[in-house]
């Protein structure tokens, strides 16, 4: 079965799930129904892709968020509700669905092989991974850092930081992200390479935010809270924050 619940809060997803179970006949949930691994929203012109789950036929076929599925094996999706779209999109396991989709202003045809739907736990894990990949870089780095075990080495924290820098692109650097990364490093008492990692993060962050008084003061708090504290740098940062706030 093609996942068709929109990304939303847990209570709303629960309500949507109940509605989906009501409107889709039991035959659509049978083992013989195919599954592609795409989450979509029903719209008047077709099914707009909301998420593409990793390691699924939809991902292998190159479907993207924002694609609008127009027809399946020449059967139009325009004007159908969730039940109608599910009936068209699902099919026998092992069959190839010919999807005509619109990507921007261009239409193209993509073949997707239907597979048996994995168990619910696996689907939820894939969905969580897809939701994280579709989230803004700031949210991604926060979640990835929170998932790191307490005993994770400094290199793992730096990997998350480097991935944020790559994904950020031209976006403005986020002060909460910088502070969150530095706080994680500051709490790694005695970890090898901790000081070098802190300075590497500061060097990059200073390039973008060194003229902001609040940034300097918060960095001072992080450095003062280290174990052992870096009093010299903490005082320098605090003074710099005061100077920037009151240049007279």
């Amino acid at each position: 079965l093609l996942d068709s619940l929109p990304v939303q809060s847990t209570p709303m997803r629960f309500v949507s799930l109940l509605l989906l179970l009501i409107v889709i006949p039991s035959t659509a949930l049978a083992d013989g129904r195919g599954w592609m691994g795409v989450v979509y929203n029903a719209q008047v012109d077709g099914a707009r892709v909301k998420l593409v789950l990793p390691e699924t036929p939809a991902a292998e076929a190159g479907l993207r968020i924002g694609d609008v599925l127009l027809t399946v094996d020449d059967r139009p999706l325009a004007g159908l509700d969730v039940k109608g779209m599910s009936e068209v999109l699902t099919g026998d396991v092992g069959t190839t669905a010919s999807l005509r989709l619109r990507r921007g202003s261009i239409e193209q045809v993509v073949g997707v092989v239907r597979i048996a739907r994995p168990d619910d736990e696996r689907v939820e894990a894939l969905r969580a991974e897809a939701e994280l990949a579709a989230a803004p870089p700031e949210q991604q780095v926060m979640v990835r850092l929170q998932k790191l075990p307490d005993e994770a080495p400094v290199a793992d924290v730096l990997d998350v930081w480097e991935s944020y820098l790559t994904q950020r692109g031209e976006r403005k650097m986020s002060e909460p992200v910088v502070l969150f990364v530095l706080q994680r490093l500051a709490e790694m008492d005695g970890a090898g390479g901790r000081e070098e990692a802190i300075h590497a993060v500061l060097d990059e962050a200073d390039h973008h935010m060194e003229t902001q008084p609040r940034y300097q003061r918060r960095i001072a708090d992080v450095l003062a809270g280290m174990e052992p504290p870096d009093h010299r740098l903490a005082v320098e940062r605090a003074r710099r924050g005061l100077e920037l706030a009151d240049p007279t």
Side-chain angles (χ1 to χ4, degrees):
L1 175 64
L2 198 72
D3 283 288
S4 55
L5 300 182
V7 179
Q8 51 194 345
S9 63
T10 300
M12 287 302 298
R13 288 177 61 185
F14 180 70
V15 172
S16 297
L17 178 59
L18 290 178
L19 178 61
L20 188 62
L21 291 176
I22 292 173
V23 300
I24 296 180
S26 59
T27 53
L29 301 176
D31 292 340
R33 303 301 293 177
W35 185 81
M36 301 179 189
V38 63
V39 181
Y40 64 88
N41 284 337
Q43 298 188 174
V44 293
D45 55 345
R48 181 174 296 274
V49 175
K50 189 81 172 180
L51 285 176
V52 179
L53 276 58
E55 303 175 27
T56 64
E60 294 173 0
L63 265 65
R64 303 176 188 174
I65 294 175
D67 288 346
V68 178
L69 309 182
L70 303 173
T71 66
V72 181
D73 299 329
D74 296 327
R75 298 176 63 187
L77 295 176
L80 298 180
D81 57 14
V82 170
K83 175 183 175 182
M85 287 183 177
S86 295
E87 290 176 346
V88 174
L89 285 160
T90 56
D92 293 336
V93 173
T95 59
T96 299
S98 178
L99 304 179
R100 183 168 62 88
L101 59 88
R102 185 176 65 245
R103 180 173 296 165
S105 59
I106 300 174
E107 292 189 9
Q108 62 186 83
V109 177
V110 176
V112 182
V113 179
R114 300 178 176 97
I115 64 171
R117 188 181 189 277
D119 60 63
D120 291 342
E121 183 176 354
R122 178 59 176 164
V123 171
E124 283 302 310
L126 292 174
R127 185 186 182 112
E129 185 177 342
E131 288 175 347
L132 180 58
E138 293 76 18
Q139 183 178 339
Q140 291 189 39
V141 67
M142 295 291 194
V143 172
R144 291 185 61 188
L145 281 174
Q146 290 170 342
K147 287 185 175 181
L148 285 180
D150 293 339
E151 64 277 8
V154 169
D156 286 358
V157 179
L158 282 181
D159 284 345
V160 176
W161 168 249
E162 292 294 338
S163 70
Y164 166 67
L165 295 180
T166 300
Q167 294 173 327
R168 181 179 65 90
E170 299 300 319
R171 295 167 65 102
K172 182 180 178 181
M173 182 170 283
S174 168
E175 179 187 300
V177 167
V178 174
L179 294 171
F180 198 69
V181 173
L182 287 173
Q183 189 63 51
R184 178 62 187 262
L185 291 170
E187 293 171 352
M188 302 176 76
D189 183 18
R194 180 186 69 159
E195 281 71 21
E196 293 84 354
I198 287 175
H199 284 288
V201 173
L202 284 175
D203 287 346
E204 184 68 34
D206 284 349
H207 180 67
H208 298 274
M209 296 188 294
E210 65 177 350
T211 60
Q212 300 178 20
R214 184 181 65 175
Y215 163 73
Q216 294 291 350
R217 293 195 297 268
R218 289 187 173 182
I219 293 300
D221 291 340
V222 172
L223 295 173
M226 291 174 57
E227 187 59 45
D230 193 328
H231 292 298
R232 181 182 62 82
L233 281 179
V235 170
E236 288 180 3
R237 293 285 179 157
R239 286 176 176 170
R240 178 59 174 157
L242 292 173
E243 292 171 357
L244 290 169
D246 185 11
T248 60

